[in-house]
């Protein structure tokens, strides 16, 4: 494929994606396939000779689409969704087209610098303490990780090394292995201090946990992967009170800020605590601007090499997605998107509360509603099975206080009020059938 054909095919692909998203609500959201469906539909070996682009694209419809779970569908209510947008998709296209691997400043200055500035932009949108921003006179800064789990691992490894070094300073004879064998990580069921848990969007009291961690010199990492995005709205920002006690903090813009996966934003109060845990300086990574820095706080131990800020050596130009989305939506546009989905979730909550057959199982704070049929776990499992079988909407369950609960998450870019109403109508129709069958069965037994 030469540049001329790429121009033509690229325009066709943009049309394909636009058509897909415009008509996605008419597709079955959950695929009707069995495990292993794909292998029999394609050859067992790669082709010896080139095939045409037309053949490849035809097989996208024939082979791929039947097995796709449509995360961008307005009928997708299962997980905290991938809330991508057209500006984000275009930024990804540009990132792929540039093809940069931005592990050091010299490898791509724009990649390194834009990422740092975008994390400052986002940090200001969240009203993070200045300690977490790279443009201030503090020692902190932000970085894009692949996922929230990756950010949590970075915090854990950094905390471990910091503690080891601290112990060795007071007792140089202690070996690293001996110290590590004595270390303890304090966790809850969610692993770390969490704002917006996965099962029910619950919030830890970080303003109470933080002072204890600080007093005991314990590294506190806050995971706000989903809910943290909503803190750009003033009415939700109080939920972040106490972040000033944290050593690190992360959110996932790809969950609720119209930025496509993968993009997990992480901030640390002292960047050196993170970067020294992943420090590597082979000769081939050094360059003439080594150590010159472009941050304002040059007197601080700050590494501009993103290779020192995480596990992967290679990095994509992911900050382009933040730059495009922030500029094309603006803070007010992003706030409106979040508020709309919180309102839609409240609408669904009210529909549930208005039906005596159902109950709400957790406080509805943002876009997640946890609910269930009044009755046994088996009854709710049967309902979920029917929902999944029909493929019209997609939900997943969780366990709350030992009970089987259904999760309904509203965060799709194209979700409207009518979709919420259609989803509830579908759920109540299926539940009515189940309850009637249960009633008939119990009647026969009696």
């Amino acid at each position: 494929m030469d540049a001329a054909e790429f121009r033509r095919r690229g325009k066709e692909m943009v049309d394909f994606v636009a058509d897909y998203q415009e008509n996605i609500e008419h597709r079955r959201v959950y695929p009707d396939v069995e495990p292993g469906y794909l292998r029999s539909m394609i050859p067992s070996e790669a082709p010896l000779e080139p095939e045409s682009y037309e053949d490849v694209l035809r097989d996208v419809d024939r082979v791929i689409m039947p097995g796709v779970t449509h995360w961008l569908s307005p009928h997708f209510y299962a997980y905290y969704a991938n809330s991508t947008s057209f500006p984000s998709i275009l930024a990804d296209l540009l990132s792929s087209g540039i093809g940069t691997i931005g592990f050091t400043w010299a490898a791509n200055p724009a990649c390194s610098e834009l990422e740092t500035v975008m994390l400052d932009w986002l940090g200001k949108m969240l009203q993070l303490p200045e300690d977490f921003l790279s443009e201030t006179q503090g020692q902190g800064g932000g970085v894009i990780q692949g996922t929230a789990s990756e950010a949590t691992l970075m915090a854990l490894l950094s905390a471990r090394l910091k503690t080891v070094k601290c112990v060795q300073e007071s007792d140089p004879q202690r070996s690293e292995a001996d110290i590590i064998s004595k270390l303890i990580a304090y966790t809850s069921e969610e692993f770390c201090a969490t704002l917006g848990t996965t099962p029910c969007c619950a919030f830890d009291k970080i303003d109470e946990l933080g002072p204890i961690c600080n007093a005991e010199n314990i590294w506190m990492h806050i995971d706000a992967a989903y809910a943290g995005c909503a803190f750009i709205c003033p009415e939700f920002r109080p939920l972040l009170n106490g972040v000033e006690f944290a050593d690190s903090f992360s959110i996932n813009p790809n969950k609720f800020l119209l930025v496509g996966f993968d993009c997990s934003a992480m901030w640390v109060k002292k960047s050196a605590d993170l970067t020294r845990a992943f420090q590597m300086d082979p000769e081939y990574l050094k360059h003439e601007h080594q150590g010159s820095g472009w941050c304002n706080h040059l007197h601080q131990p700050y590494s501009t090499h993103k290779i020192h800020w995480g596990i992967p050596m290679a990095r994509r130009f992911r900050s382009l997605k933040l730059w495009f989305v922030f500029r094309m939506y603006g803070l007010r546009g992003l706030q409106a998107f979040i508020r709309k989905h919180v309102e839609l979730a409240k609408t669904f909550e009210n529909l549930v509360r208005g039906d005596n057959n159902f109950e709400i199982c957790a406080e509805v704070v943002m876009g997640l509603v946890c609910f269930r049929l009044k009755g046994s776990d088996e009854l709710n499992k049967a309902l979920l099975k029917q929902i999944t079988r029909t493929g019209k909407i997609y939900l997943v369950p969780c366990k709350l206080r030992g009970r089987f609960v259904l999760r309904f998450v509203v965060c799709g870019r194209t979700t409207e009020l009518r979709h919420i109403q259609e989803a509830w109508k579908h759920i109540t129709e299926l539940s009515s059938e189940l309850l009637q069958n249960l009633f008939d069965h119990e009647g026969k037994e009696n």
Side-chain angles (χ1 to χ4, degrees):
M1 182 180 289
D2 58 18
E5 185 180 6
F6 173 72
R7 291 178 190 275
R8 180 162 57 92
R9 300 304 189 186
K11 293 172 184 176
E12 291 175 1
M13 182 56 72
V14 168
D15 286 339
F16 182 92
V17 172
D19 289 342
Y20 167 76
Q21 293 206 18
E22 281 190 331
N23 298 289
I24 194 171
E25 70 173 285
H26 304 301
R27 294 178 180 266
R28 177 188 170 105
V29 64
Y30 188 76
D32 185 20
V33 297
E34 296 295 328
Y37 89 95
L38 188 145
R39 182 172 290 275
S40 64
M41 300 179 71
I42 61 176
S44 59
E45 296 179 355
L48 291 175
E49 302 296 334
E51 297 184 6
S52 70
Y53 179 80
E54 289 86 354
D55 287 342
V56 174
L57 200 58
R58 272 194 294 270
D59 278 351
V60 170
D61 272 329
R62 182 182 69 87
V63 179
I64 303 302
M65 285 302 175
V68 170
T69 299
H70 299 287
W71 280 64
L72 302 183
S73 169
H75 306 303
F76 183 97
Y77 306 106
Y79 311 102
Y80 293 135
N82 177 20
S83 62
T84 193
S85 59
F86 290 128
S88 179
I89 293 170
L90 291 175
D92 260 336
L93 175 62
L94 178 58
S95 175
S96 296
I98 293 174
T100 189
I101 307 294
F103 42 77
T104 67
W105 182 89
N108 190 322
C111 182
S112 293
E113 298 198 17
L114 185 64
E115 182 167 333
T116 300
V117 175
M118 286 303 98
L119 269 292
D120 276 356
W121 276 21
L122 183 52
K124 291 177 182 178
M125 291 160 65
L126 295 165
Q127 299 178 49
L128 288 182
E130 289 190 351
D131 288 346
F132 288 100
L133 306 181
S134 66
E135 71 174 20
T136 67
Q137 295 301 309
Q139 302 177 44
V143 63
I144 298 176
Q145 307 286 8
T147 65
S149 300
E150 189 177 328
T152 301
L153 178 61
M154 298 302 98
L156 185 63
L157 296 176
S158 301
R160 184 180 70 174
L161 178 63
K162 181 180 180 180
T163 304
V164 168
K165 297 298 183 185
C166 181
V167 173
Q168 287 180 329
E169 286 177 3
S170 60
D171 188 357
Q173 303 303 315
R174 294 279 298 277
S175 69
E176 181 174 320
D178 178 56
I179 297 170
I180 289 177
S181 70
K182 304 294 192 300
L183 298 183
I184 296 174
Y186 293 88
T187 72
S188 67
E189 289 183 359
E190 308 298 327
F191 185 86
C192 64
T194 307
L195 298 177
T197 60
T198 301
C200 64
C201 200
F203 295 81
D204 285 329
K205 297 181 179 180
I206 59 173
D207 55 348
E208 296 180 11
L209 292 172
I212 297 172
C213 291
N214 287 183
E216 300 296 333
N217 199 25
I218 297 172
W219 182 299
M220 184 169 78
H221 175 68
I222 299 174
D223 181 350
Y226 162 70
C229 300
F231 300 155
I232 68 170
C233 300
E235 63 268 32
F236 293 119
R237 178 55 179 78
L239 291 168
L240 189 54
N241 289 347
V243 69
E244 62 271 16
F245 299 111
D247 295 276
S248 54
F249 169 72
S250 68
I251 70 170
N252 280 8
N254 56 257
K255 280 190 168 71
F256 211 7
L257 277 182
L258 295 167
V259 176
F261 183 83
D262 60 344
C263 185
S264 184
M266 179 186 186
W267 292 266
V268 288
K269 189 174 289 182
K270 293 183 178 180
S271 62
D273 289 338
L274 180 74
T275 58
R276 70 179 177 181
F278 305 97
Q279 193 80 24
M280 58 175 293
D281 283 305
E283 195 65 29
Y284 54 80
L285 292 182
K286 295 178 180 179
H287 55 86
E288 62 179 327
H289 297 292
Q290 191 92 2
S292 62
W294 35 266
C295 300
N296 291 341
H297 53 294
L298 301 183
H299 60 286
Q300 299 292 354
Y302 183 94
S303 173
T304 60
H305 292 344
K306 294 306 179 185
I307 191 176
H308 297 154
W309 288 69
I311 290 177
M313 178 176 178
R315 302 181 63 79
R316 294 189 301 113
F317 204 162
R318 291 177 290 199
S319 56
L320 284 172
K321 293 188 287 191
L322 294 173
W323 195 44
F324 275 42
V325 170
F326 291 168
R327 294 184 65 186
M328 297 187 71
Y329 278 90
L331 175 58
R332 289 180 178 174
L334 294 172
Q335 289 172 334
F337 172 76
I338 290 168
R339 287 167 177 153
K340 172 185 175 181
H341 288 77
V342 172
E343 182 179 344
L344 289 175
K346 286 292 183 181
T347 297
F348 185 81
E349 177 192 11
N350 291 333
L351 289 171
V352 176
R353 291 191 184 279
D355 191 316
N356 289 329
N357 290 324
F358 288 87
E359 60 182 331
I360 295 294
C361 304
E363 181 184 3
V364 178
V365 180
M366 293 181 183
L368 172 63
V369 181
C370 292
F371 72 107
R372 74 195 304 268
L373 268 172
K374 294 176 181 177
S376 66
D377 282 358
E378 287 67 29
L379 182 62
N380 282 276
K381 289 177 182 178
L383 174 58
L384 181 59
K385 185 176 181 180
Q386 287 292 87
I387 291 172
T388 304
R389 182 187 60 79
T390 61
K392 291 184 179 180
I393 62 174
Y394 186 35
L395 310 181
V396 294
C398 69
K399 277 291 186 73
L400 293 181
R401 302 178 186 90
R403 297 195 304 170
F404 187 88
V405 171
L406 305 184
R407 297 170 74 260
F408 187 96
V409 190
V410 185
C411 51
R413 181 180 61 85
T414 59
T415 306
E416 302 289 346
L417 175 60
R418 62 182 177 87
H419 298 119
I420 303 301
Q421 294 169 333
E422 290 170 6
W424 179 242
K425 182 175 182 291
H426 181 59
I427 292 169
T428 54
E429 287 175 350
L430 293 178
S431 64
S432 295
E433 293 176 8
L434 280 174
L435 292 172
Q436 184 61 49
N437 291 337
L438 179 64
F439 178 80
D440 293 341
H441 178 72
E442 291 178 346
K444 289 179 180 178
E445 288 186 343
N446 294 330

